[in-house]
């Protein structure tokens, strides 16, 4: 066994031994949990405890007297040497190599992480250093595992966040609705594809602009009010309002807005989901209208029925009285007046019963073409000399199942109205044709189902009517005629008959431009063995890309539906709401227009006028006119030359696409 003290210091070896025995006594050191190594100034090991032997795998004898560096991995030894010298300069108890990773080296050469505390022990033989060495492999491993777990978690979170963010973005972009976010002052900060589809602006055109650009001029306060609500932390749910698109169309929209908050929870903006409900509103309007007519019908029918019974009683009593009175007596005049009034009353109730569809009818299968020839004769004296009557059959047969008397009544009532609308004469046109409606058509016209119909179009070149009048004409007792001239039951009766025959009636009219009524009665071809061949089913022309259509139509809903149909079929559509704006658009956009699809009668510039103006620069422009008026009426009014392509409203998807396809050639 080597002496524990500096080998050169022979004189002090005894007392050094004593110090070693006391301070560095293995008894004391054995009580400590850590491996303890005592070294002298020169770095020679003077004492170790059994924990050291265990930790490093050496016997005590193999350690005492050796340089402490033997316990340090080779590549750390030089550095260790420096540290040791530094420590000798300023010896004080401290952790060794704070902040550094320290390693020990076992006898078998394996290395392991350690933590070392150093304490100087001053003796009269100089300074010894006690190193408490602790194996921190376990702690390091736990630390490492924790770090790895953290890293994995972080990585996963980043991935998941990215994933959910892109999933969110794709959900937002695939939404049919407009999803728009904006700051509290209304500046648009995000704009999805739905918003682009609905409003027509690209994100580049609107991000950074104020959301008020979508507000109609007559509702300037609505958006600021919504933003004020949002800044108070309130939300807006399914508010119905109106918004304006890039091309100036007004849309009915349902809007839900909620506050956007930052990480601290402060409100920094608003997020809105906006749905285009224009088509839905229109359908609701149609349903509402037919419900209203239904209700009025029930009421009128009920009243008429009871009233008829009362008239019956009065009539019976009047007849009793008449039998008991001398016909020459003064009082029998009164009886005659009562009888006349009863007749007027019965005629009224009859009409009301017809409107309410409760009159008794005797339907039979008949050809409307034949029937019209007979009614035509009746009309002559009714219409007066200055009205020209035209009867046009566009299909060889027009077979329907209806009550002939009722059909006559329809024609007579419409003829009387037409005559009243043409005080200075004009033309009265009756047209028949067979038409088939596909599912697409039925979808747009709520009440109508797909199938084959006979269309009876009744037109006049008279005064026409405005929208407000046209929307009420089928109501019983609605009249614009002066007192005593009209009861307002003519069209109500027509409506009742058409409905009772499972048909539909539509009206197209504009003030100063005449009127067309279109009555659709289900075809009864099958009842006389004229079954439709399946080959008659129409096919839609193939899709086209890269063709630009200028669509000019003043009815907003009609325009939007037509645009949608065309776009779905691959056409590029430019819209205008009348001839004048269409012309302005063409003048400011020199790009090519392949086809003009235009309404005929419009407020500021009619379709034919627009074509004339455009022909100056584009003489070969292809044109399709569309109108609710019939081709006959339009030709009669000399609005359009004969032979021009006219698509009559209402048209089916197939009719629209095929007409455009054929015209494009
Ligand atoms: N061809 C038409 N041209 C212009 N306006 C029309 C035409 N047909 C009907 N109207 C308008 O519709 C209203 C209602 O017509 P309807 O036939 O139901 O009643 P009326 O003609 O006023 O009275 P009645 O037919 O009972 O004598 C008319 O008052 C008129 O304003
Ligand atoms: Mg009338």
């Amino acid at each position: 066994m080597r002496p524990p003290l500096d080998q050169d210091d022979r004189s002090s070896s005894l007392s050094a031994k004593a110090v070693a025995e006391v301070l560095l006594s293995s008894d004391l050191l054995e009580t400590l949990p850590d491996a303890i190594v005592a070294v002298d100034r020169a770095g020679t090991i003077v004492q170790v405890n059994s924990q050291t032997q265990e930790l490093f795998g050496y016997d005590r004898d193999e350690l005492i007297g050796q340089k402490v560096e033997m316990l340090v991995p080779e590549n750390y030894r030089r550095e260790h040497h420096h540290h040791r010298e530094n420590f000798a300069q300023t010896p004080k108890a401290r952790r060794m190599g704070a902040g550094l990773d320290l390693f020990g080296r076992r006898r078998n050469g394996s290395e392991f992480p350690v933590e070392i505390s150093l304490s100087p022990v001053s003796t009269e033989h100089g300074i010894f250093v006690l190193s408490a060495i602790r194996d921190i492999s376990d702690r390091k491993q736990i630390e490492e595992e924790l770090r790895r777990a953290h890293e994995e978690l972080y990585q996963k979170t980043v991935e998941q966040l990215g994933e959910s963010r892109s999933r969110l973005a794709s959900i937002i972009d695939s939404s049919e609705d407009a999803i728009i976010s904006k700051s509290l002052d209304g500046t648009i900060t995000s704009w999805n594809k739905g918003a682009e589809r609905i409003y027509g602006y690209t994100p580049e055109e609107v991000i950074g602009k104020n959301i008020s650009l979508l507000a109609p001029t007559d509702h300037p306060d609505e958006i600021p009010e919504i933003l004020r609500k949002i800044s108070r932390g309130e939300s807006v749910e399914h508010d119905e309002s109106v918004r304006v698109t890039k091309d100036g169309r007004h849309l009915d929209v349902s809007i839900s807005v909620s506050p956007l908050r930052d990480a601290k929870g402060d409100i920094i903006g608003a997020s809105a989901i906006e749905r285009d409900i224009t088509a839905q509103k229109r359908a609701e309007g149609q349903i509402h209208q037919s419900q209203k007519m239904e209700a009025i019908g029930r009421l009128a029918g009920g009243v008429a029925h009871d009233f008829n019974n009362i008239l019956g009683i009065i009539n019976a009593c009047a007849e009793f009285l008449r039998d008991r009175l001398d016909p020459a007596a003064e009082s029998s005049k009164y009886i005659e007046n009562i009888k006349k009034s009863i007749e007027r009353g019965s005629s009224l109730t009859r009409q009301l019963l017809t409107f309410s569809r409760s009159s008794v009818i005797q339907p039979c299968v008949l050809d409307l073409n034949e029937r019209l020839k007979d009614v035509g004769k009746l009309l002559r004296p009714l219409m007066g000399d200055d009205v020209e009557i035209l009867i046009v059959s566009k299909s060889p047969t027009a077979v329907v199942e209806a009550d002939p008397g009722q059909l006559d009544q329809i024609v007579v009532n419409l003829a009387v109205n037409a005559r009243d609308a043409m005080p200075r004469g004009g033309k009265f046109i009756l047209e028949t044709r067979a038409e088939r409606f596909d599912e697409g058509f039925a979808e747009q016209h709520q009440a109508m189902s797909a199938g084959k119909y006979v269309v009876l179009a009744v037109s006049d070149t008279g005064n026409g009517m405005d929208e407000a009048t046209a929307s009420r004409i089928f109501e019983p007792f609605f009249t614009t005629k002066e007192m005593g001239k009209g009861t307002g039951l003519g069209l109500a009766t027509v409506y009742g008959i058409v409905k009772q025959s499972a048909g539909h009636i539509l009206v197209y009219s504009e003030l100063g431009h005449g009127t067309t009524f279109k009555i659709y009665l289900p075809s009864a071809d099958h009842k006389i063995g004229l079954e439709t061949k399946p080959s008659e089913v129409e096919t839609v022309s193939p899709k086209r890309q890269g063709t630009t259509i200028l669509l000019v139509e003043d009815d907003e809903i009609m325009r939007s539906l037509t645009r949608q149909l065309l776009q779905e079929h691959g056409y590029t559509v430019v819209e205008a709401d009348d001839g004048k704006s269409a012309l302005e658009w063409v003048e400011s956009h020199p790009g090519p227009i392949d086809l003009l699809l235009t309404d005929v009668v419009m407020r500021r510039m009619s379709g034919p006028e627009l074509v004339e103006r455009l022909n100056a620069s584009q003489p070969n422009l292809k044109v399709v006119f569309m109108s609710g008026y019939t081709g006959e009426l339009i030709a009669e009014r000399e609005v359009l030359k004969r032979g021009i392509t006219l698509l009559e409203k209402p048209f089916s998807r197939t009719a629209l696409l095929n007409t455009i396809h054929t015209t494009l050639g």
Side-chain angles (χ1 to χ4, degrees):
M1 184 176 151
R2 291 172 192 249
L5 296 179
D6 201 321
Q7 285 168 0
D8 303 331
D9 201 353
R10 297 251 162 230
S11 61
S12 60
S13 74
L14 194 73
S15 45
K17 237 184 218 166
V19 169
E21 260 166 39
V22 177
L23 243 182
L24 312 176
S25 81
S26 59
D27 281 352
L28 181 66
L29 298 186
E30 285 305 320
T31 61
L32 299 173
D34 294 331
I36 305 290
V37 177
V39 292
D40 64 11
R41 265 193 98 103
T44 306
I45 300 173
V46 297
Q47 183 62 291
V48 296
N49 61 359
S50 63
Q51 286 85 315
T52 306
Q53 298 174 55
E54 224 167 86
L55 187 59
F56 288 91
Y58 286 103
D59 278 343
R60 193 166 187 274
D61 295 350
E62 290 173 293
L63 292 169
I64 304 287
Q66 297 301 318
K67 287 284 185 197
V68 69
E69 271 76 25
M70 72 183 289
L71 302 177
V72 175
E74 260 169 67
N75 50 340
Y76 287 96
R77 282 185 190 161
R78 269 173 71 119
E79 217 173 314
H80 189 267
H81 193 80
H82 284 303
H83 283 309
R84 194 152 51 71
E85 279 177 357
N86 282 346
F87 187 80
Q89 312 268 310
T90 49
K92 63 173 191 233
R94 62 172 148 98
R95 282 267 306 275
M96 183 175 165
L100 293 177
D101 283 335
L102 303 179
F103 292 90
R105 182 180 187 278
R106 294 196 190 88
R107 186 172 203 237
N108 63 13
S110 62
E111 294 172 13
F112 58 99
V114 292
E115 201 175 74
I116 304 175
S117 301
L118 304 173
S119 320
V121 179
S122 277
T123 68
E124 54 184 286
H125 301 286
I127 291 176
F128 293 85
V129 181
L130 274 188
S131 306
I133 304 162
R134 184 174 295 176
D135 179 0
I136 56 167
S137 302
D138 287 354
R139 205 173 79 197
K140 278 280 171 193
Q141 198 178 333
I142 291 169
E143 268 175 23
E144 176 61 18
E145 267 163 24
L146 261 176
R147 194 190 56 76
R148 203 169 317 132
H150 257 114
E151 197 158 283
E152 265 170 32
L153 194 71
Y154 176 75
Q155 202 60 34
K156 254 193 206 138
T157 317
V158 167
E159 270 167 30
Q160 275 174 358
L161 243 150
E163 217 172 81
S164 62
R165 203 173 279 167
S166 71
R167 200 171 329 131
L168 199 69
S170 79
I171 290 172
I172 287 177
D173 264 344
S174 65
S175 162
E176 282 294 312
D177 298 336
I179 302 178
I180 302 167
S181 54
K182 56 224 165 196
S183 60
L184 284 178
D185 66 357
T187 308
I188 299 171
T189 50
S190 80
W191 186 260
N192 76 336
K193 289 219 173 72
E196 185 172 346
R197 228 175 355 248
I198 293 175
Y199 295 120
Y201 294 102
T202 62
E204 294 75 34
E205 285 173 312
V206 287
I207 289 182
K209 298 241 172 75
N210 199 282
I211 189 73
S212 60
L213 102 167
L214 298 178
T217 41
D218 50 346
H219 292 89
D221 302 332
E222 194 195 298
I223 290 179
E225 180 51 40
I226 291 180
L227 289 171
R228 270 195 293 278
K229 265 191 170 173
I230 293 297
S231 56
R232 291 197 298 265
E234 295 167 31
S235 311
V236 169
E237 266 171 44
H238 306 298
D239 242 16
E240 288 191 5
S241 186
V242 176
R243 293 284 179 270
V244 186
T245 64
K246 185 182 175 187
D247 49 25
R249 286 173 298 124
H250 284 60
L251 297 181
D252 289 310
V253 285
S254 159
I255 298 180
S256 298
V257 195
S258 44
L260 275 179
R261 295 172 192 273
D262 63 9
K264 281 188 290 173
D266 293 337
I267 297 169
I268 49 162
S271 158
I273 301 180
E274 310 189 356
R275 174 167 296 189
D276 179 2
I277 53 165
T278 314
Q280 184 188 328
K281 278 274 180 199
R282 174 191 151 107
E284 277 170 16
Q286 283 180 352
I287 291 167
H288 183 237
Q289 178 69 13
S290 67
Q291 280 171 345
K292 186 175 80 179
M293 295 301 277
E294 201 59 49
I296 297 175
R298 263 201 303 279
L299 177 72
V303 172
H305 187 260
D306 288 354
F307 197 68
N308 229 7
N309 290 343
I310 297 167
L311 283 178
I313 297 165
I314 298 174
N315 193 39
C317 296
E319 276 169 6
F320 271 130
L321 277 178
R322 191 181 53 190
D323 293 347
R324 283 161 180 71
L325 282 176
D326 173 7
E330 167 95 17
S331 40
S332 56
K333 259 199 342 226
Y334 297 117
I335 303 285
E336 277 321 299
N337 284 344
I338 293 174
K339 289 283 288 175
K340 267 190 206 145
S341 300
I342 289 168
E343 248 158 56
R344 273 175 52 197
S346 311
S347 136
L348 258 175
T349 51
R350 247 197 324 277
Q351 291 188 69
L352 277 177
L353 285 171
T354 310
F355 167 70
S356 68
R357 289 170 247 164
S358 28
S359 59
V360 181
I361 55 164
Q362 288 165 330
C364 57
V365 176
L366 56 90
D367 187 341
L368 195 58
N369 287 347
E370 299 302 318
R371 190 79 202 168
L372 286 187
K373 279 185 203 150
D374 296 342
V375 188
K377 293 176 202 135
L378 264 177
L379 294 177
R380 189 67 278 154
L382 188 74
M383 300 302 276
D385 290 340
D386 49 3
V387 174
E388 197 182 321
I389 301 169
L390 278 156
I391 299 177
V392 186
S393 306
K394 294 247 161 118
S395 306
T397 55
V399 184
V400 293
E401 188 171 20
D403 180 312
Q406 285 201 330
L407 281 181
D408 296 353
Q409 201 180 346
I410 290 181
V411 176
V412 169
N413 286 10
L414 292 176
V416 173
N417 284 349
R419 185 202 60 203
D420 292 347
M422 297 186 288
R424 285 173 301 281
K427 283 174 180 136
F428 179 64
I429 310 157
L430 290 164
E431 277 178 74
T432 53
R433 65 164 180 272
E435 216 168 282
R436 171 174 290 284
F437 292 133
D438 53 24
E439 300 292 341
F441 180 90
E443 253 168 49
Q444 285 170 40
H445 299 81
Q446 298 291 317
M448 296 174 91
S449 46
K452 197 174 170 192
Y453 287 87
V454 165
V455 187
L456 167 63
V458 183
S459 310
D460 66 66
T461 56
N463 298 331
M465 52 194 133
D466 58 21
E467 230 181 292
T469 307
S471 69
R472 298 193 56 194
I473 51 174
F474 298 116
E475 290 173 19
F477 304 111
F478 174 81
T479 179
T480 57
K481 293 170 189 168
E482 52 194 87
M483 278 286 273
K485 278 256 166 110
T487 54
L489 281 174
L491 287 178
T493 312
V494 170
Y495 183 90
I497 296 172
V498 171
K499 287 286 157 194
Q500 196 167 14
S501 317
H504 305 281
I505 181 163
L506 298 173
V507 60
Y508 295 90
S509 188
E510 269 180 79
L511 219 47
H513 291 278
T515 301
T516 293
F517 284 95
K518 285 187 179 161
I519 293 164
Y520 295 83
L521 298 172
S523 162
D525 273 355
H526 56 284
K527 299 234 166 163
I528 55 162
L530 274 177
E531 210 64 66
T532 334
K533 286 169 238 107
S535 62
E536 264 188 42
V537 173
E538 291 179 54
T539 48
V540 182
S541 56
K543 280 200 178 193
R544 277 200 198 224
Q545 306 287 344
T547 307
T548 306
I549 295 179
L550 175 56
L551 166 66
V552 193
E553 161 70 67
D554 53 5
D555 184 295
E556 219 167 288
I557 297 169
M558 184 69 204
R559 193 174 61 232
S560 136
L561 285 171
T562 311
R563 170 179 50 90
Q564 234 169 309
L565 273 179
L566 293 172
Q567 283 175 339
E568 274 167 20
H569 219 64
Y571 291 106
T572 306
V573 183
V574 178
E575 289 173 68
D577 61 3
D578 65 10
K580 201 135 196 176
S581 15
L583 196 65
E584 281 162 13
W585 191 90
V586 173
E587 279 164 0
S588 58
H589 294 76
I593 293 287
D594 299 295
L595 183 136
L596 171 70
L597 174 62
T598 178
D599 195 5
V600 178
V601 181
M602 287 175 294
R603 281 179 295 275
R604 288 201 305 164
M605 181 187 286
S606 75
E609 259 180 285
L610 170 66
V611 172
E612 202 170 301
R613 297 284 292 271
L614 288 178
N615 268 343
S617 57
Q618 307 187 40
N620 297 323
L621 181 67
K622 300 204 159 102
V623 184
V624 172
F625 286 104
M626 47 185 177
S627 178
Y629 295 118
T630 64
E632 289 299 321
L633 174 67
I634 284 183
E636 285 306 329
R637 290 180 53 95
E638 288 165 16
V639 181
L640 284 181
K641 292 184 205 82
R642 275 186 196 274
I644 225 117
T645 317
L646 177 83
L647 194 57
E648 268 191 44
K649 294 176 197 168
F651 45 74
S652 65
R653 193 176 84 104
T654 323
L656 170 72
L657 295 174
N658 288 353
T659 308
I660 285 178
H661 191 81
T662 326
T663 311
L664 281 169

